[in-house]
């Protein structure tokens, strides 16, 4: 069974540009969550999508947005990039939405490392 | 208040010895799940073990066990018979239940180094 696939693996952008990151979940998984990982802030939850709907959102500005397609693939978009957006962006998938009770581990992709110049 | 607290930024353990990584959590939701993940230097996050708030017994998965002390709100990870490949960052995480937002929270991590 293929794991969570994130593309691209590495990305270099300049301030003010926008970027779109892609995530393909494990087959059969319908929940996709996005995280930002930086040395200073650690892992921070961005948002979760389930059945093409945003279910939860972390404390990030509106420049961060996402969507999910009918095949559960998800994209994350960051507009008007700032230097502080440099980070490892991790996508994670699980069978059901985060609110489900029970053993629902999230399976993570290898991440997209975004560098802003 | 921090939702997940990992007080050990770095730990060293001798190969074949056991090591305990500390984790405390904070939630008012009676329904929650606790997770441990391993992140090697390559960057991927690997799920290790899960403990539900209503589980009566401590979770075990091979060499990993979770020392769950609900009254103390602690969920320490115990790795037995450490191996060189266990050197990595370890993150404790919590998924809250429907009463408190259903989000996933991660600790700041503990860097474990296994010494030959």
């Amino acid at each position: 069974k293929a794991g969570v696939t994130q593309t691209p693996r590495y990305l270099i952008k300049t301030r003010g540009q926008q970027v779109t990151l892609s995530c393909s979940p494990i087959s059969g998984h319908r929940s996709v969550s996005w995280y930002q990982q930086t040395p200073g802030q650690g892992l921070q939850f961005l948002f979760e999508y389930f059945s093409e709907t945003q279910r939860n959102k972390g404390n990030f500005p509106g420049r961060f947005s996402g969507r999910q397609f009918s095949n559960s693939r998800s994209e994350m978009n960051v507009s008007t990039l700032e230097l502080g957006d440099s980070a490892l962006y991790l996508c994670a998938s699980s069978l059901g939405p985060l609110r489900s009770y029970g053993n629902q581990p999230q399976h993570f992709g290898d991440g997209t490392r975004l560098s802003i110049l | 208040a921090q939702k997940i607290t990992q007080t050990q930024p770095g730990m060293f353990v001798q190969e074949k010895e056991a090591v305990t990584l500390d984790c405390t959590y904070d939630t008012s939701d009676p329904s929650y799940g606790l997770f441990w993940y391993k992140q090697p230097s390559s960057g991927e996050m690997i799920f290790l073990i899960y403990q539900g708030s209503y589980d009566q017994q401590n979770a075990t998965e091979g060499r990993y066990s979770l020392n769950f002390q609900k009254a103390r709100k602690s969920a320490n990870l115990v790795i037995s018979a450490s191996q060189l490949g266990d050197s990595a960052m370890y993150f404790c995480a919590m998924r809250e239940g429907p009463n408190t937002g259903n989000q996933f929270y991660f600790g700041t991590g503990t860097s474990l180094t296994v010494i030959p």
Side-chain angles (χ1 to χ4, degrees):
Chain A
K1 203 175 195 182
V4 177
T5 304
Q6 289 187 250
T7 57
R9 288 296 309 278
Y10 302 92
L11 208 48
I12 299 175
K13 292 285 187 179
T14 56
R15 281 182 297 175
Q17 286 187 309
Q18 75 159 14
V19 67
T20 299
L21 311 182
S22 179
C23 173
S24 292
I26 290 173
S27 177
H29 284 195
R30 295 170 62 196
S31 169
V32 174
S33 297
W34 289 90
Y35 296 86
Q36 181 195 65
Q37 186 177 28
T38 59
Q41 300 294 322
L43 265 160
Q44 293 185 285
F45 173 77
L46 279 156
F47 30 64
E48 181 214 3
Y49 285 87
F50 180 79
S51 292
E52 302 177 63
T53 303
Q54 187 180 89
R55 294 300 184 101
N56 292 298
K57 191 177 192 306
N59 192 23
F60 278 82
R63 299 185 297 107
F64 291 82
S65 63
R67 58 177 176 168
Q68 187 180 34
F69 303 95
S70 58
N71 62 358
S72 294
R73 190 177 72 85
S74 176
E75 288 182 346
M76 188 190 87
N77 184 274
V78 188
S79 62
T80 320
L81 286 165
E82 300 176 1
L83 291 177
D85 297 334
S86 294
L88 178 67
Y89 290 88
L90 290 164
C91 165
S93 75
S94 60
L95 277 170
L98 293 182
R99 63 179 169 79
S100 298
Y101 172 75
N103 184 352
Q104 287 273 4
Q106 295 187 309
H107 299 269
F108 286 79
D110 291 342
T112 293
R113 190 164 295 281
L114 175 63
S115 298
I116 311 301
L117 303 179
Chain B
Q2 292 288 335
K3 287 286 189 180
I4 297 286
T5 302
Q6 294 180 254
T7 57
Q8 306 154 314
M11 290 280 286
F12 291 87
V13 63
Q14 202 75 37
E15 194 178 5
K16 299 179 185 176
E17 296 291 311
V19 63
T20 299
L21 307 184
D22 295 341
C23 172
T24 57
Y25 58 92
D26 181 34
T27 182
S28 57
D29 198 320
S31 173
Y32 54 89
L34 297 160
F35 304 80
W36 276 92
Y37 288 86
K38 172 184 176 181
Q39 188 178 40
S41 55
S42 49
E44 75 272 27
M45 294 282 280
I46 302 166
F47 165 70
L48 294 177
I49 196 167
Y50 164 85
Q51 180 84 43
S53 60
Y54 295 115
D55 292 345
Q56 295 296 314
Q57 295 192 339
N58 288 344
T60 59
E61 288 287 348
R63 293 186 299 111
Y64 305 108
S65 61
L66 201 152
N67 185 1
F68 182 45
Q69 297 187 47
K70 196 169 182 177
R72 293 186 175 186
K73 292 190 175 178
S74 76
N76 299 339
L77 176 71
V78 180
I79 305 175
S80 63
S82 297
Q83 302 172 356
L84 295 178
D86 294 335
S87 294
M89 282 290 289
Y90 288 80
F91 292 94
C92 178
M94 174 177 66
R95 183 201 68 237
E96 286 186 316
N99 295 339
T100 42
N102 308 309
Q103 292 196 15
F104 234 87
Y105 298 95
F106 282 81
T108 51
T110 295
S111 176
L112 177 67
T113 302
V114 180
I115 304 166

